[in-house]
Amino acid sequence: MKNAVKRVLTVVMAVILCVGMTACGSDSSGASTADKSKEEAKGGTAASGDTIKVGLLTASSGGTAVLDGYIANAVIMAVDEINEAGGVNGKQIELIKEDYASDPAMAAEKAEKLIVNDGVSCIIGVVLSSCRQAVLPVVEKYDNLLIYPTDYEGLEQSDNIIYVGCVPNQQIQTIAPWLAENVGKKVYLIGNDYLYPRSTLAQMKAMLEENGATVVGEEYIAMDETDYTASISKIMDAEPDVVFSVLVGDCITAFQKQYAQYGIDDIEMFHLCLDESGAEAIGIESCEGVYSGQTYFCTVETDANKVFREKYKEAYGTEPTVYASNGYVAANLLAKALESAGEEFTTEDLVNAFRGQSFEGPAGLTTVCDNNHCTVTPRIGQVNADGLFDILFESESPVEPDPQAGAKYYTE
């Protein structure tokens, strides 16, 4: 009898517990509604209905707004083309846009909103490594995917990121021997004081020495520096043949304008991160003749680039840059991966579908490797009188990515 009563009480308590849990916003599994929505966001498909939802995470204000603008423009242009051609597996790609204002914390917040609230299958965007690293734990937490269209320092590999931009080994192994042979063997290194320039210049230094060149000076400048008088004096005292710079953003503009005022004709300048928009900001009178190393210049002579460049200029009124090219390639690689993944897919399915995909874009053939990084074609250009780049050298074939190459030379 006692056992019978005990069983009845157990059943009653179980019913009360279930009712109580439901009243507190839980389902029968015991997970809260909020936790369930997060769980549903993890690794699921966002291809239900007539559209495939894709997040576009770019900035319209802050330090990277100009660069983000090129990415956003090109992604939108590519998605419009893809949708006009019938979409992917009979579905249209629906871009859901969020502005992260060039802020890492905002980038993480907006990425979570895109995944949890909007149910995107993946996100294209962000520029700086600090923003990528802020988004990384978010996409890993929800098992979603970031498609990162920017060149970066390497030293990272995540199953939840497709890295479309190049890593330093893909540029340095081309630039270092070319510089030593064609410009000079005495090199002064300068860059901003954070991971990307330091990792890149560590590899550059080693590669220059392998090619018989000598580094005669090396320094790192704070991102908020505006007066480069001391640095220019150090360069003049060191008497290099060439300055190799991994300054970025507004620092390139400020440095190059001040450097040009000194009228230094016997020391060449190579800015790794200088593109068409940067040359325009500096002005022809201050940067004509300056070298740059990019995977894309708008003067690339391929049929694909002629079409891309003309359409981009018509749509947005400016020449496309490497950021536009990378954004365009990222969107097209995504479309090919989505098609291969099929109508129902998880993030793992989509990542696997990316690997091995190739796209013949404005910068040539780009292929996604098994390490989630892409092959690219490095080029060397020189600013001409029109503010564009004469291409002096390009690799005969795409170069394989080695994101961990910097670990051999760089330690924090």
Side-chain angles (χ1 to χ4, degrees):
M1 182 67 177
K2 286 182 180 179
N3 288 338
V5 171
K6 197 173 187 178
R7 285 195 296 271
V8 171
L9 287 173
T10 300
V11 172
V12 170
M13 289 301 294
V15 171
I16 292 171
L17 183 60
C18 287
V19 171
M21 289 174 67
T22 304
C24 292
S26 299
D27 62 14
S28 58
S29 69
S32 69
T33 303
D35 288 341
K36 191 175 191 322
S37 68
K38 289 181 179 181
E39 193 63 32
E40 287 172 346
K42 290 184 67 173
T45 177
S48 59
D50 298 327
T51 65
I52 303 172
K53 295 179 181 179
V54 173
L56 178 58
L57 186 57
T58 53
S60 62
S61 62
T64 63
V66 172
L67 309 182
D68 278 283
Y70 283 104
I71 293 170
N73 289 345
V75 169
I76 292 168
M77 189 171 85
V79 168
D80 285 345
E81 292 174 355
I82 293 161
N83 285 339
E84 288 170 8
V88 177
N89 295 326
K91 300 176 185 291
Q92 296 282 286
I93 295 176
E94 178 187 355
L95 280 179
I96 301 176
K97 308 177 187 70
E98 286 292 343
D99 185 347
Y100 71 98
S102 304
D103 178 68
M106 183 69 75
E109 179 184 322
K110 295 293 189 178
E112 186 164 31
K113 182 262 182 187
L114 285 166
I115 296 168
V116 176
N117 294 358
D118 298 313
V120 299
S121 59
C122 59
I123 298 168
I124 302 175
V126 305
V127 171
L128 293 181
S129 286
S130 58
C131 294
R132 183 194 72 254
Q133 289 168 347
V135 171
L136 174 56
V138 178
V139 292
E140 289 186 338
K141 175 182 178 181
Y142 295 107
D143 194 21
N144 205 271
L145 181 64
L146 173 67
I147 303 164
Y148 184 57
T150 309
D151 300 353
Y152 86 112
E153 65 276 356
L155 304 176
E156 179 182 292
Q157 182 174 329
S158 170
D159 289 337
N160 294 87
I161 299 183
I162 299 295
Y163 305 83
V164 175
C166 76
V167 289
N169 83 285
Q170 294 171 294
Q171 295 172 301
I172 298 307
Q173 69 184 60
T174 294
I175 294 170
W178 186 90
L179 210 60
E181 180 179 351
N182 295 281
V183 182
K185 294 185 181 296
K186 294 169 60 181
V187 185
Y188 191 100
L189 305 179
I190 186 170
N192 286 116
D193 192 8
Y194 72 99
L195 181 57
Y196 172 61
R198 283 187 173 274
S199 175
T200 301
L201 288 177
Q203 293 179 64
M204 185 67 176
K205 185 176 182 178
M207 192 65 68
L208 284 169
E209 291 171 352
E210 288 181 16
N211 284 274
T214 302
V215 173
V216 297
E218 181 177 0
E219 66 171 316
Y220 296 91
I221 310 296
M223 288 289 291
D224 60 356
E225 184 60 76
T226 57
D227 184 356
Y228 294 91
T229 303
S231 296
I232 295 169
S233 294
K234 291 177 185 177
I235 291 168
M236 294 171 68
D237 290 342
E239 298 182 341
D241 298 317
V242 57
V243 176
F244 184 80
S245 152
V246 191
L247 297 170
V248 302
D250 293 341
C251 295
I252 302 176
T253 305
F255 174 87
Q256 186 58 39
K257 284 184 174 181
Q258 293 173 39
Y259 185 83
Q261 291 174 355
Y262 281 79
I264 306 170
D265 296 327
D266 57 342
I267 302 175
E268 301 286 355
M269 179 61 63
F270 195 119
H271 285 292
L272 181 65
C273 300
L274 182 65
D275 63 11
E276 291 84 354
S277 65
E280 182 179 5
I282 294 167
I284 301 303
E285 66 281 359
S286 296
C287 73
E288 184 177 358
V290 170
Y291 299 100
S292 177
Q294 301 282 351
T295 56
Y296 173 82
F297 297 107
C298 70
T299 48
V300 170
E301 293 186 0
T302 64
D303 292 340
N305 185 50
K306 288 174 184 176
V307 174
F308 171 74
R309 181 183 179 187
E310 182 178 339
K311 188 167 184 178
Y312 189 95
K313 284 180 67 177
E314 182 179 352
Y316 303 111
T318 61
E319 294 283 4
T321 68
V322 65
Y323 292 92
S325 174
N326 285 357
Y328 189 78
V329 170
N332 277 282
L333 284 172
L334 171 60
K336 293 169 77 72
L338 287 168
E339 184 175 5
S340 295
E343 292 191 22
E344 295 289 330
F345 59 86
T346 65
T347 295
E348 183 179 6
D349 295 332
L350 185 56
V351 171
N352 288 334
F354 258 105
R355 292 169 180 161
Q357 292 292 350
S358 294
F359 177 67
E360 187 74 45
L365 185 66
T366 299
T367 302
V368 184
C369 302
D370 287 343
N371 61 9
N372 287 9
H373 291 71
C374 294
T375 64
V376 295
T377 301
R379 296 175 169 88
I380 295 171
Q382 187 174 32
V383 180
N384 61 29
D386 296 322
L388 303 179
F389 288 85
D390 294 326
I391 298 175
L392 307 180
F393 176 87
E394 67 179 26
S395 175
E396 292 182 1
S397 58
V399 175
E400 296 283 330
D402 183 0
Q404 299 303 322
K408 180 179 178 181
Y409 308 106
Y410 173 74
T411 55
E412 293 188 68

